[in-house]
């Protein structure tokens, strides 16, 4: 049985430790000085995702135990910022990936998800009944322009224009530099959460054409709450990039961003039922996340899921 990704112990971040397997279980060795090494045992069976930060080394036996317990392992930057690689256990349920593919491949449902993401970002927004994606982009642009203006007025910096120019990086103003650095951190956190759920970062609903399309979709949900206020607060900084990364890492635990991303993505990919109660939705998520996937099944367009390990040859042939 798989642990819920949204549990309180869903994500554990480690850095500057050695992760090993001993006779008791998987533990993190912390070198205090030349004569002292502390051990902290990791509750592998209760974890959905282990984030390995800088300075971490891990042994093969420890990785084997994590895989056996269905724990995803993601290599990340300092503080869980940026995701570089992910090791997913073969027991990770494909429920959320199937939901993602089904909604992404259907143009109507894909637009519905895009609209729901827009409403999640701007909770007081009024969206026309038959809105197109082009119109949605226009509405989003107007909202962000107004938000930039409010933040600029609050910090007394005059007119602000978002200008992401990698070829002219050093000539950008402090707010743009800080925002680019903070957004990069946010992308890493979103990427780690999607990998832990077994989702494809490449199948985006608004963004497309890149392996991180869905990462950018999800990150956009939180920029107004997280990275934009941070960037504008650094408008007088001498080193806005460095300070943006440090302050983002410092605030990450207080924001509880990883569990929030997991819950929001699950909500987006769960088809809304007009008469469903909150308890019904929670129960459905519980069943879907705790699905036993030790046995591989076969898919049939008419019969649905069929058991594997069965010879389906016609007896007459």
């Amino acid at each position: 049985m798989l642990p819920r990704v949204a549990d309180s112990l869903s994500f554990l971040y480690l850095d500057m430790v050695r992760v090993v397997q001993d006779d008791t279980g998987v533990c993190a060795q912390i070198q205090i000085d030349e004569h002292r090494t502390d051990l902290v045992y990791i509750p592998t069976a209760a974890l959905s995702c282990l984030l390995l930060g800088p300075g971490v080394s891990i042994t093969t036996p420890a990785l084997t135990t994590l895989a056996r317990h269905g724990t995803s392992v993601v290599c990340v930057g300092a503080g869980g910022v940026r995701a570089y690689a992910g090791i997913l256990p073969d027991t990770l349920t494909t429920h959320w990936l199937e939901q993602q593919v089904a909604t992404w491949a259907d143009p109507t449902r894909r637009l519905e998800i895009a609209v729901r993401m827009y409403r999640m970002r701007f909770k007081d927004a009024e969206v026309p009944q038959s809105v197109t994606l082009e119109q949605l982009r226009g509405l989003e642009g107007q909202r962000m322009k107004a938000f930039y203006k409010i933040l600029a007025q609050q910090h007394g910096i005059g007119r602000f224009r978002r200008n992401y120019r990698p070829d002219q990086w050093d000539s950008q103003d402090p707010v743009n530099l800080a925002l680019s650095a903070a957004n990069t951190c946010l992308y890493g956190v979103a990427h780690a959460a999607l990998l832990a759920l077994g989702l494809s970062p490449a199948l985006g609903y608004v963004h497309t054409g890149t392996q991180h399309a869905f990462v950018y979709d999800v990150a956009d949900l939180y920029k107004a709450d997280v990275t934009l206020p941070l960037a504008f607060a650094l408008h007088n900084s001498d080193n806005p990039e460095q300070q943006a990364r440090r302050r983002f890492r410092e605030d990450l635990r207080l924001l509880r961003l990883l569990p929030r991303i997991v819950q929001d993505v699950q909500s987006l990919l769960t088809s809304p039922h007009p008469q469903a109660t909150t308890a019904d939705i929670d129960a459905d998520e519980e069943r879907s996340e705790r699905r036993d996937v030790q046995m591989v099944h076969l898919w049939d367009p008419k019969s649905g899921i069929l058991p594997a390990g069965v010879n389906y040859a016609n007896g007459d042939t």
Side-chain angles (χ1 to χ4, degrees), residues 225-226 248 250-260:
D225 295 334
V226 180
F248 185 95
E250 292 170 357
D251 295 342
L252 186 59
R253 182 177 299 178
L254 296 176
L255 293 170
R256 291 186 57 80
L257 193 56
L258 279 168
R260 181 179 169 188

Side-chain angles (χ1 to χ4, degrees), residues 1-309:
M1 303 296 286
L2 299 174
R4 282 179 62 100
V5 180
D7 284 342
S8 59
L9 290 178
S10 294
F11 298 90
L12 177 63
Y13 170 77
L14 301 175
D15 62 12
M16 304 303 293
V17 298
R18 176 173 170 78
V19 182
V20 301
Q21 170 78 49
D22 64 11
D23 294 337
T24 304
V26 176
C27 61
Q29 296 179 339
I30 306 170
Q31 190 71 38
I32 304 300
D33 53 41
E34 295 182 359
H35 306 290
R36 176 185 169 189
T37 301
D38 288 351
L39 298 180
V40 177
Y41 284 90
I42 301 172
T44 54
L47 285 176
S48 290
C49 183
L50 183 64
L51 305 176
L52 303 182
V56 173
S57 63
I58 186 168
T59 64
T60 301
L63 276 175
T64 301
T65 300
L66 290 165
R68 187 168 62 249
H69 288 163
T71 304
S72 301
V73 179
V74 182
C75 300
V76 299
V81 173
R82 297 193 182 185
Y84 300 109
I87 304 172
L88 306 181
D90 59 0
T91 55
L92 182 64
T93 177
T94 60
H95 172 78
W96 295 112
L97 178 60
E98 292 169 4
Q99 293 285 96
Q100 180 189 15
V101 172
T103 53
W104 177 85
D106 184 333
T108 300
R109 298 178 68 185
R110 184 173 180 176
L111 179 58
E112 289 176 356
I113 296 290
V115 172
R116 292 173 65 186
M117 287 194 291
Y118 177 83
R119 286 177 170 151
M120 187 177 290
R121 292 176 66 183
F122 310 109
K123 296 179 176 55
D124 61 339
E126 294 184 4
V127 182
Q129 188 69 27
S130 57
V131 66
T132 65
L133 197 56
E134 182 180 6
Q135 292 172 329
L136 202 64
R137 287 195 296 267
L139 293 172
E140 188 266 351
Q142 293 175 6
R143 284 274 180 161
M144 294 308 299
K145 187 176 181 179
F147 192 58
Y148 290 152
K149 184 177 180 179
I150 292 173
L151 287 173
Q153 290 176 346
Q154 289 178 349
H155 292 276
I157 61 175
R159 187 170 179 268
F160 170 79
R161 181 177 181 181
R162 177 63 173 139
N163 182 27
Y164 177 67
R165 296 290 300 274
D167 57 332
Q168 301 177 11
W169 187 263
D170 293 334
S171 63
Q172 296 181 79
D173 60 87
V175 175
N176 271 296
L177 284 172
L179 185 55
S180 296
N183 283 343
T184 300
C185 299
L186 178 60
Y187 296 148
V189 175
H191 194 180
L194 296 181
L195 288 177
L197 283 169
L199 292 166
S200 171
L203 300 182
Y205 294 86
V206 177
H207 294 86
T208 189
T210 170
Q211 287 294 320
H212 290 168
F214 195 31
V215 173
Y216 300 144
D217 282 357
V218 173
D220 279 351
L221 301 177
Y222 311 102
K223 287 180 179 178
D225 295 334
V226 180
T227 60
L228 277 166
L230 171 59
F232 275 86
L234 296 174
H235 64 95
N236 283 328
S237 173
D238 294 331
N239 194 340
E241 295 176 78
Q242 183 185 79
Q243 291 189 26
R245 288 191 292 268
R246 287 182 175 178
R247 288 184 57 174
F248 185 95
R249 285 197 294 265
E250 292 170 357
D251 295 342
L252 186 59
R253 182 177 299 178
L254 296 176
L255 293 170
R256 291 186 57 80
L257 193 56
L258 279 168
R260 181 179 169 188
I261 291 174
V262 168
Q263 293 171 6
D264 288 344
V265 170
Q266 289 174 335
S267 175
L268 282 170
L269 297 180
T270 302
S271 299
H273 304 287
Q275 298 180 345
T277 64
T278 303
D280 293 334
I281 295 174
D282 290 343
D284 181 65
E285 290 186 1
E286 177 75 17
R287 287 192 296 272
S288 67
E289 291 188 21
R290 291 191 170 275
R291 184 175 299 171
D292 189 348
V293 293
Q294 293 182 355
M295 176 62 72
V296 177
H297 302 293
L298 303 177
W299 173 78
D300 183 270
K302 296 181 179 179
S303 304
I305 302 299
L306 297 174

